[in-house]
Amino acid sequence: MFLNLQNKDELNGHVFDQNRAYAAAGYRLSKKVDIEAGYLNQTSKGLNSSTMNNVIQLALYTRF
């Protein structure tokens, strides 16, 4: 959770600025390769409107 504690009138006039929630699950395919899938929900309050982003992520991690 992000809060505007200073200069809130110059940004969006609100103490609440943005919030993010993320959930993910992963699986180790081998000692050197992992795969992870996740979901991110981001809310951002602007001066005139609010924005909500929904993001699905798929990641492949390697170790050499």
Side-chain angles (χ1 to χ4, degrees), residues 2-4 9 21 27 29 36 38 40 46-48 55 60-61:
F2 298 84
L3 303 173
N4 284 331
D9 295 329
Y27 182 74
L29 298 172
E36 180 179 292
L40 170 71
L47 185 59
N48 296 318
V55 180
L60 182 68
Y61 301 102

Side-chain angles (χ1 to χ4, degrees), residues 32-49:
K32 294 188 175 189
V33 180
D34 296 341
I35 191 166
E36 180 179 292
Y39 169 75
L40 170 71
N41 179 281
Q42 178 188 26
T43 304
S44 179
K45 185 167 260 194
L47 185 59
N48 296 318
S49 64

Side-chain angles (χ1 to χ4, degrees), residues 4-60:
N4 284 331
L5 300 177
Q6 298 178 348
N7 304 323
K8 67 179 181 179
D9 295 329
E10 295 175 16
L11 296 173
N12 62 11
H14 300 281
V15 173
F16 172 77
D17 185 28
Q18 57 181 298
N19 190 21
R20 294 183 188 130
Y22 181 72
Y27 182 74
R28 177 155 288 161
L29 298 172
S30 69
K31 289 183 178 182
K32 294 188 175 189
V33 180
D34 296 341
I35 191 166
E36 180 179 292
Y39 169 75
L40 170 71
N41 179 281
Q42 178 188 26
T43 304
S44 179
K45 185 167 260 194
L47 185 59
N48 296 318
S49 64
S50 296
T51 303
M52 181 181 287
N53 296 316
N54 297 296
V55 180
I56 295 175
Q57 173 186 330
L58 181 63
L60 182 68

